[in-house]
Amino acid sequence: MSGMLITFILLVFLAVFLLVQGLVVPTFGEGAQTRKLLKRRLAEIESEAGEGSFVSLLRQHYLDDLSPFQRALEELPGMARLRQLIQQAGGSTPAWRIALLSLALGAIAGVVALAMLRQPLLALFASGAGLAAPVVRLTLQRKNRMDQFEKSLPDAIDLIKRALRAGQPLSTAIKLVGEDMEGQIGDEFRTVAADLNYGNDPRRALMGMLFRVPSVALMGFVTAVLLQRETGGNLAEVLEQISSVIRGRYRFQRRVLTLSAEGRMSAWVLSMVPVVLGVIISIVSPDYLDVLFESPFGQKILLVAISLMLVGILWMRKIIRIEF
């Protein structure tokens, strides 16, 4: 297999990856800039409150149950972000196991690719794919759960509002949400209720949930609760307004997703036509495209075409991704 063909395969893979990330799985919810601002604000709050202030007591109990070797693995650089990713994806597997699984898959994929293809570059690529496979899977699971969380949050807020109007305290209302609702929304509120039962401060418990689920909508709910605890007021009425705003925002997001569906499909067709035609021509007439891979001029044309294709994909991706 020539170096030019390897480069072609890698560039085609990159094009398909960009299509999947930008067109099949469109941006939904907060934009990238909004997420960065939210993370920065959370980091500022944590630094002001003290290091480790919002760490769940349940999480600390989990760390205490680990062996010294496992605890040492959990304290490695980058493991905190991996733990957060696992929590947001709804997983219960320890972060150190995911890290070891990634290393094992990367090593196995690299060795198998090198033994079968005899190409170090492709073996390195296969090793990287195996290394990233568990993280990619967790990322997709997190996206699905975040979408479900955003969808279910107004119902959870309404349930808390009704419990407050019935005379129940906030801790009991949070516990009711954890008991009555399923999915990530129920898991997160059950974690908050368990934190409160363990003796954690309500502010720390709610901020811990916000760190696990960085969402602008959830930040509105947490901010309203914390402000009401400090200044007083009718929390039920405030939560009613927040629930209405979140529902309107969600409906707007769905409308944007529907209106951009035609653009995503057009981008898919325009981007995949050259690849599909190349595969069909290679099957029907295998020698027809040899000039593109063998002659220097053909290789230059191929590189220019693929580069323009990548630029077009990025351009369409930028047009279609409506962030707010």
Side-chain angles (χ1 to χ4, degrees), residues 267-283:
W268 256 110
V269 173
L270 292 174
S271 302
M272 293 305 297
V273 162
V275 178
V276 173
L277 287 179
V279 172
I280 294 176
I281 293 175
S282 299
I283 296 174

Side-chain angles (χ1 to χ4, degrees), residues 83-321:
R83 287 196 300 268
Q84 186 181 36
L85 177 62
I86 295 172
Q87 287 179 342
Q88 293 175 356
S92 58
T93 306
W96 64 270
R97 289 186 180 179
I98 298 295
L100 293 180
L101 177 62
S102 297
L103 293 176
L105 290 178
I108 293 173
V111 170
V112 171
L114 185 61
M116 296 180 60
L117 303 175
R118 305 291 182 181
Q119 292 290 335
L121 182 59
L122 288 182
L124 182 62
F125 171 74
S127 178
L131 188 67
V135 178
V136 172
R137 181 172 178 270
L138 288 173
T139 302
L140 294 176
Q141 290 178 342
R142 178 182 64 178
K143 182 185 183 304
N144 293 332
R145 286 177 62 85
M146 288 296 178
D147 289 346
Q148 290 299 320
F149 188 92
E150 291 275 352
K151 181 179 179 180
S152 304
L153 184 58
D155 294 333
I157 294 177
D158 287 343
L159 182 57
I160 294 175
K161 176 192 67 178
R162 290 193 295 269
L164 292 176
R165 286 178 173 173
Q168 300 290 341
L170 179 63
S171 58
T172 303
I174 291 176
K175 184 178 179 181
L176 287 175
V177 175
E179 292 176 349
D180 294 347
M181 301 194 68
E182 299 178 351
Q184 187 191 15
I185 191 79
D187 295 339
E188 291 297 337
F189 277 90
R190 277 193 295 271
T191 301
V192 174
D195 269 351
L196 295 176
N197 290 335
Y198 266 87
N200 206 351
D201 181 73
R203 181 175 185 271
R204 294 174 61 188
L206 290 173
M207 291 301 299
M209 178 171 63
L210 185 57
F211 272 87
R212 293 190 300 270
V213 187
S215 166
V216 173
L218 181 60
M219 175 170 270
F221 165 74
V222 173
T223 302
V225 173
L226 296 181
L227 284 177
Q228 190 274 339
R229 286 177 56 85
E230 295 178 0
T231 63
N234 193 331
L235 180 59
E237 292 184 2
V238 175
L239 293 182
E240 184 176 5
Q241 296 298 323
I242 292 177
S243 174
S244 176
V245 171
I246 294 175
R247 280 197 172 91
R249 184 171 178 269
Y250 189 81
R251 285 194 298 268
F252 178 71
Q253 290 172 343
R254 287 298 179 182
R255 180 171 177 80
V256 169
L257 192 63
T258 302
L259 294 176
S260 63
E262 182 179 357
R264 294 199 309 275
M265 180 58 65
S266 300
W268 256 110
V269 173
L270 292 174
S271 302
M272 293 305 297
V273 162
V275 178
V276 173
L277 287 179
V279 172
I280 294 176
I281 293 175
S282 299
I283 296 174
V284 175
S285 180
D287 300 332
Y288 187 79
L289 297 178
D290 287 346
V291 64
L292 289 177
F293 298 100
E294 296 176 357
S295 66
F297 186 69
Q299 293 176 0
K300 293 178 182 179
I301 293 177
L302 190 60
L303 284 177
V304 171
I306 295 176
S307 300
L308 292 176
M309 179 179 174
L310 292 176
V311 171
I313 291 175
L314 292 174
W315 197 338
M316 290 184 292
R317 185 170 178 259
K318 181 66 176 178
I319 294 174
I320 293 173
R321 289 168 67 94

Side-chain angles (χ1 to χ4, degrees), residues 28-54:
F28 190 71
E30 295 87 21
Q33 191 66 24
T34 305
R35 289 193 298 270
K36 290 180 181 178
L37 292 175
L38 178 58
K39 291 180 180 179
R40 188 182 308 151
R41 179 55 183 159
L42 290 175
E44 292 174 357
I45 294 174
E46 187 176 27
S47 63
E48 293 171 0
E51 186 176 358
S53 175
F54 302 122

